[in-house]
């Protein structure tokens, strides 16, 4: 039976979660009192120096995990600048402090809607294992051509051979830019599940902030639907990372705490609890 980690995508966006006046450099230590994992997405927007990751590693307790979104160039978000080996090497070196501390959970490659299924793009997925030979990896798509019934077997085989987890999502089902929930495990080491909300009206809307697309608070009934699904994934993978990306207001932390409690009651010690936090530095 695999271990289930529950947390949120980002930690700095939750205004009501932190005590008033808490310095921003102490937020991650406070977060780690309630959760054992977080997804770091600031890494998507710029190549950050290694000392940033070292500081976050120091401020979190032993056993805490960071899933990290790679720099946007590595996921083809920058159409003018395709991925290069040098950028991959620079990004890999930057997360070295998390790797050395045993706190690198997974590198989560989230591809854009224009990264559609093709032989060229499938070949690129295969190269990820060569560029990051020893790191847990997952991939998530934003175009449903990858998960259509006729395409899924080839994708599963490619990811399985490369030991890359297929990212599983909960999101609105509205057109080609939304991905169905396909709860399959492609590598026994890892399964990653990300909750984006179900706000169909804003999924394609022009919004002020990207997070506005994820303006959705899951009901307890909707969360309960996931308990047996996550238990099944944990039967097949050594670790299951469950991350809430509905980062509007404090929806993500609210839903993550709710689902964590429901999983704990149903599955007991399979659900990873936070340990005593390290002192902020």
């Amino acid at each position: 039976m695999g271990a289930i980690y529950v947390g949120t995508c980002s930690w700095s966006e939750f205004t009501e979660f932190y005590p008033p006046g808490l310095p921003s450099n102490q937020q991650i230590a406070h977060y780690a009192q309630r959760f054992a994992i977080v997804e770091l997405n600031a890494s998507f927007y710029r190549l950050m120096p290694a000392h940033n990751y070292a500081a976050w590693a120091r401020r979190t307790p032993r056993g805490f995990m960071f899933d990290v979104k790679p720099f946007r160039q590595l996921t083809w978000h920058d159409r003018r600048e395709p991925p290069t080996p040098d950028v991959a090497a620079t990004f890999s070196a930057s997360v070295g402090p998390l790797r050395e501390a045993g706190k690198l959970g997974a590198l989560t490659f989230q591809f854009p809607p224009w990264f559609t299924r093709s032989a060229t793009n499938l070949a690129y997925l295969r190269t990820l294992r060569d560029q990051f030979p020893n790191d847990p990896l997952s991939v998530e798509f934003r175009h449903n051509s990858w998960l259509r019934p006729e395409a899924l077997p080839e994708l599963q085989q490619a990811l399985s051979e490369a030991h890359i987890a297929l990212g599983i999502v909960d999101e609105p089902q509205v057109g080609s830019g939304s991905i169905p929930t396909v709860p399959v495990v492609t590598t026994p080491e890892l399964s990653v599940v990300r909750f984006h909300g179900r706000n169909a009206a804003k999924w394609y809307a022009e919004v002020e902030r990207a997070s506005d697309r994820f303006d959705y608070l899951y009901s307890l009934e909707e969360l309960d639907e996931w308990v047996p699904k996550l238990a099944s994934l944990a039967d097949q993978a050594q670790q299951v990372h469950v991350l809430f990306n509905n980062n509007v207001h404090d929806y993500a932390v609210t839903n993550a705490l709710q689902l964590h409690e429901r999983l704990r009651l149903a599955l007991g010690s399979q659900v990873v609890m936070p340990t005593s936090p390290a002192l902020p530095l």
Side-chain angles (χ1 to χ4, degrees):
M1 301 287 284
I4 302 176
Y5 292 76
V6 182
T8 66
C9 300
S10 179
W11 68 83
S12 62
E13 302 180 45
F14 313 122
T15 57
E16 298 177 8
F17 179 65
Y18 298 108
L22 183 72
S24 60
N25 66 355
Q26 295 183 27
Q27 287 179 344
I28 187 61
H30 181 87
Y31 175 97
Q33 294 176 350
R34 305 300 300 274
F35 300 103
I37 192 171
V38 75
E39 181 184 279
L40 175 61
N41 58 26
S43 51
F44 171 80
Y45 296 99
R46 64 186 181 97
L47 287 168
M48 295 187 296
H51 66 75
N52 285 20
Y53 296 95
W56 294 322
R58 289 195 306 268
R59 292 168 182 159
T60 50
R62 180 176 299 180
F64 189 85
M65 300 266 259
F66 291 86
D67 281 7
V68 181
K69 289 181 69 175
F71 181 53
R72 55 182 289 124
Q73 191 173 340
L74 298 175
T75 50
W76 296 88
H77 279 80
D78 190 337
R79 303 197 202 200
R80 297 170 298 178
E81 296 288 343
T84 67
D86 287 346
V87 170
T90 300
F91 170 73
S92 181
S94 72
V95 300
L98 294 181
R99 196 182 286 122
E100 294 161 10
K103 294 183 177 183
L104 180 57
L107 301 181
T108 297
F109 290 79
Q110 181 191 301
F111 291 95
W114 51 88
F115 189 83
T116 58
R117 181 195 176 213
S118 70
T120 299
N121 288 343
L122 185 63
Y124 179 72
L125 296 181
R126 296 178 187 273
T127 70
L128 297 179
R129 178 50 66 201
D130 297 327
Q131 296 179 81
F132 304 92
N134 300 312
D135 296 326
L137 305 179
S138 71
V139 294
E140 181 181 317
F141 303 105
R142 285 287 170 86
H143 194 278
N144 64 19
S145 58
W146 290 97
L147 296 179
R148 291 170 186 163
E150 67 275 13
L152 186 57
E154 181 183 38
L155 176 64
Q156 285 183 263
Q157 181 178 350
L159 296 181
S160 179
E161 291 171 351
H163 284 265
I164 298 174
L166 173 63
I168 301 166
V169 298
D170 185 296
E171 65 188 39
Q173 297 302 296
V174 282
S176 63
S178 58
I179 304 302
T181 299
V182 181
V184 299
V185 174
T186 54
T187 177
E189 292 84 10
L190 175 69
S191 182
V192 177
V193 184
R194 298 173 80 233
F195 286 78
H196 299 303
R198 300 178 183 179
N199 193 332
K202 289 188 177 180
W203 194 245
Y204 297 113
E206 293 187 10
V207 292
E208 183 177 348
R209 301 174 304 163
S211 60
D212 291 340
R213 292 192 176 89
F214 313 120
D215 184 357
Y216 189 86
L217 180 67
Y218 286 89
S219 69
L220 296 180
E221 292 76 17
E222 289 168 333
L223 296 178
D224 286 339
E225 295 170 4
W226 270 96
V227 172
K229 296 176 185 177
L230 294 170
S232 177
L233 293 174
D235 282 339
Q236 304 169 66
Q238 294 169 17
Q239 290 186 5
V240 180
H241 297 183
V242 183
L243 295 152
F244 282 84
N245 191 40
N246 51 335
N247 291 337
V248 175
H249 308 296
D250 283 355
Y251 290 168
V253 289
T254 297
N255 283 154
L257 289 169
Q258 289 170 334
L259 182 57
H260 187 277
E261 179 64 11
R262 276 159 163 69
L263 288 168
R264 189 188 65 80
L265 292 174
L267 303 175
S269 61
Q270 274 186 267
V271 184
V272 178
M273 302 292 291
T275 58
S276 299
L279 292 174
L281 300 177

